[in-house]
Amino acid sequence: MDVSTMLIWLAIPVFIVAVAAEAVYLTRRGKPYDYRDSATSILAGLGYQLLNIPWALAELAIFASVSSLVPWHLEGWVAWAVALIGVDFAYYWFHRAHHEIRAFWSVHVVHHSSESFNLTTALRTPWLVVTSLPFLVPLALSGIDGKIIAASYAINLLYQFGIHTEVIDKLWAPIEFVFNTPSHHRVHHGSNTEYLDRNYGGVLIIWDRIFGSFEPENERAIYGLTKNVNTYNIAKINAHEIVAIWQDVKNAAKFSDKLGFLFRGPGWQPQPTQATGSAGMLGGATP
């Protein structure tokens, strides 16, 4: 087992205690808690970890191959500092791409499919585990050992477990300015119009401030998707958007539209032809 997978598995007892404590805390205060939804999220997380064991080993081999292309090698605290910050920067763009490119969104949508927001939501991860690789590989060119990159990515994900909660309110202003917090991440999971595609950061929120994707928490988030899947079936949750893309691509008339359904944003539709547009204005068929 590689070091990143080992870190996640070692954290499982902490996850169990934290999830149980949050559930008890919320139910004793009369807050709604969907246990079936939480069970679905936990099942998603277990599936991800089992599928990730062989893939993590393949990732390490790829990192090692890429790092061998450069003549330098970072070691010690410098390697860890560069890896931790570099992984967080890579995670920002990985996360943003998975919201803005539909092919990636078809994977990431699993994480946003819950209409609840609690610690188990952090565990609702997709079973297609390969899409982070293109964003992490460039770090290997900095001369960092692949095991450090993998461990830094695991640390990044472990941090994010704790920000999936409504129990913690806004924190001290300097912390809120620099770090991703439960408040910032509630925004990210909101389907409210003003909250869509905001706050992509992993550990640090400063990337969102720099690249214009930050939104503060001003009203209560409505969790889930703009069009919810309404199922606890983990297979459907993982596959529904992939199936929808396949249908759109298959039915698209033009090759450019097929590419659009894959690589443009979720919800993208081809521009109607002039004839179709005119019919729509006259009350006929609309696209």
Side-chain angles (χ1 to χ4, degrees):
M1 185 180 295
D2 74 292
V3 65
S4 61
T5 306
M6 184 175 65
L7 284 173
I8 299 294
W9 282 90
L10 287 174
I12 287 177
V14 178
F15 291 171
I16 293 171
V17 172
V19 165
E22 183 189 48
V24 170
Y25 177 86
L26 291 173
T27 53
R28 284 188 172 180
R29 281 157 181 76
K31 304 288 186 181
Y33 194 92
D34 188 337
Y35 284 90
R36 193 173 176 187
D37 181 80
S38 291
T40 302
S41 295
I42 292 168
L43 179 61
L46 288 173
Y48 169 84
Q49 287 304 319
L50 291 173
L51 291 167
N52 192 55
I53 291 173
W55 174 244
L57 296 174
E59 274 189 328
L60 287 177
I62 294 169
F63 290 151
S65 178
V66 172
S67 63
S68 69
L69 299 175
V70 297
W72 56 83
H73 185 68
L74 299 182
E75 298 180 346
W77 71 266
V78 174
W80 278 101
V82 172
L84 289 167
I85 296 173
V87 161
D88 200 60
F89 181 73
Y91 180 85
Y92 172 85
W93 290 107
F94 153 83
H95 199 178
R96 185 164 183 165
H98 279 64
H99 276 258
E100 297 181 352
I101 299 172
R102 192 180 177 197
F104 283 142
W105 172 247
S106 69
V107 178
H108 187 61
V109 68
V110 174
H111 183 60
H112 285 265
S113 62
S114 174
E115 295 176 58
S116 301
F117 188 75
N118 53 55
L119 291 174
T120 66
T121 310
L123 308 177
R124 185 176 286 225
T125 40
W127 288 356
L128 188 60
V129 299
V130 303
T131 58
S132 61
L133 183 64
F135 300 89
L136 295 174
V137 160
L139 276 173
L141 292 173
S142 65
I144 302 172
D145 187 292
K147 293 178 182 178
I148 296 178
I149 296 173
S152 296
Y153 187 60
I155 291 168
N156 198 288
L157 296 180
L158 288 171
Y159 174 88
Q160 292 183 58
F161 171 77
I163 61 176
H164 288 80
T165 184
E166 290 190 299
V167 173
I168 300 173
D169 202 353
K170 290 188 178 183
L171 302 174
W172 186 40
I175 294 175
E176 294 282 343
F177 186 83
V178 175
F179 293 96
N180 197 8
T181 64
S183 174
H184 297 326
H185 209 58
R186 287 192 289 269
V187 168
H188 178 71
H189 275 261
S191 62
N192 318 46
T193 301
E194 64 273 27
Y195 287 173
L196 292 176
D197 301 329
R198 292 291 182 266
N199 299 358
Y200 299 115
V203 174
L204 302 175
I205 202 67
I206 56 173
W207 310 123
D208 290 281
R209 297 185 186 277
I210 292 170
F211 297 111
S213 53
F214 175 73
E215 182 70 30
E217 183 182 35
N218 293 317
E219 62 180 56
R220 194 179 192 283
I222 301 170
Y223 303 115
L225 306 171
T226 54
K227 184 178 180 181
N228 288 306
V229 292
N230 299 317
T231 182
Y232 296 112
N233 186 310
I234 192 63
K236 289 181 180 179
I237 291 170
N238 270 275
H240 79 276
E241 183 64 11
I242 296 172
V243 172
I245 290 177
W246 166 248
Q247 292 296 330
D248 285 338
V249 170
K250 184 177 69 172
N251 295 328
K254 297 189 296 183
F255 183 70
S256 60
D257 292 342
K258 294 179 187 293
L259 292 178
F261 281 123
L262 280 169
F263 300 113
R264 290 182 179 268
W268 176 85
Q269 291 292 324
Q271 290 294 323
T273 63
Q274 186 173 0
T276 303
S278 299
M281 292 176 65
L282 294 172
T286 55

